[in-house]
Amino acid sequence: MSTTTTSTPTRPSAPAELIADFVSTGGRLADRSDLARFLREHRLVTEGAIPITLADLDEALTLRDGIRALLDRSTTPDPETLARAQKVLDGLRVTVRLEPVEQAESPLAPAVVDEVRRGLARIAGAWAAVVATDEWRRMRR
């Protein structure tokens, strides 16, 4: 009698899904309105007008490119791309939640007032969650 083993596919965590959506934006993140749309669609910012500067867009693209480079298994990540993305992460202020929030994608919370930087800090929190669980290693680009 032969035994067949099947593996149940595991669904990516909410932080992994956010990161996957962020790195796969490609041409859909071409301007400031695209960034605003992405942040709103993923509920990373509050509703209403979001003043997004070109510097904000540049930071988002830099962060996306760095994460994308790490997830791309076909090449060795460019150290300069990683350094620029790390600089964006280093500039984001986050805090740790004392009490877990069920809907939160990470125990890290933005500690900034600016809506765009708050959205980027939430992406940083999601990245921290997938790194902490080693889930990023299973993510493919």
Side-chain angles (χ1 to χ4, degrees), residues 85-141:
Q86 186 61 56
K87 186 176 179 181
V88 171
L89 288 174
D90 291 345
L92 297 173
R93 293 187 49 219
V94 295
T95 186
V96 178
R97 297 177 194 278
L98 183 60
E99 293 184 70
V101 177
E102 235 176 89
Q103 300 298 329
E105 294 179 350
S106 168
L108 298 177
V112 292
V113 177
D114 176 89
E115 281 294 311
V116 176
R117 295 190 65 74
R118 182 176 296 156
L120 292 178
R122 287 187 171 118
I123 292 169
W127 179 248
V130 299
V131 168
T133 62
D134 230 20
E135 189 174 11
W136 75 278
R137 294 186 187 279
R138 294 184 303 279
M139 296 174 69
R140 297 280 183 203
R141 235 199 98 242

Side-chain angles (χ1 to χ4, degrees), residues 51-70:
I52 298 178
T53 66
L54 290 174
D56 292 333
L57 177 62
D58 186 54
E59 278 194 333
L61 295 175
T62 298
L63 180 58
R64 182 196 64 187
D65 292 347
I67 295 171
R68 183 184 278 173
L70 281 172

